[in-house]
Amino acid sequence: FTDCIEEKEESLASGTFREPDSMVEWKIHLSKSSVKPGEKMELILEANPDKDFHIYKLDPKDKTIENRTHLVLTQKAGVPAYAPIVYKRPTRKDLGVGGIVDFYNGKVTIRVPIEIPDTAIEGETPFEGLLGYQACTSGACDRPRGLSFKGIYQVSKSNPPGDKLPLQTAPS
């Protein structure tokens, strides 16, 4: 059983993820690998779709589950994470059959602010999540896809803030 777990760990990509037949490359990282209690950092997800492809809008408040990008933080060790921020304006398209879709043309970056509490315990802190997405052109769509990501950052009162921390990624 242990061998299976080790093989799974080795199959995780670090920071950059793209399934062989996917139309989107993802880069996922935390803005810091080490933080002090009371500091802030960000989860950063960068989507880079192939030419003529786009991904659907991420909007946690929208109850629509189709034609959306979905993000769930499954392990954050009690650390508050805030609403995702995307500075790129989405494009809105009426499909003509009663459906309206919102999507990001080209490359897009999603930022999730994370606040480390003043009372955070020093040491290694796990961080994990899931991302669901779909890439489309104006005429056709790839199948819906998902990926998981995870990493461990340090909470330390004495260590300086670390460089960005690429998260391990795998199909989900």
Side-chain angles (χ1 to χ4, degrees), residues 86-128:
V86 180
Y87 293 109
K88 186 173 194 170
R89 182 179 295 244
T91 299
R92 177 166 276 199
K93 182 176 180 181
D94 186 341
L95 299 176
V97 291
I100 295 176
V101 294
D102 296 300
F103 56 88
Y104 304 112
N105 276 312
K107 193 173 186 176
V108 63
T109 300
I110 300 164
R111 297 176 174 274
V112 180
I114 300 165
E115 188 173 333
I116 309 303
D118 292 328
T119 57
I121 297 171
E122 290 190 82
E124 293 184 343
T125 305
F127 191 86
E128 299 179 16

Side-chain angles (χ1 to χ4, degrees), residues 57-68 70 92 100 102:
K57 179 181 174 184
L58 172 67
D59 185 353
K61 295 176 187 170
D62 190 340
K63 295 188 185 333
T64 306
I65 58 171
E66 310 83 30
N67 303 321
R68 288 284 178 252
H70 299 279
R92 177 166 276 199
I100 295 176
D102 296 300

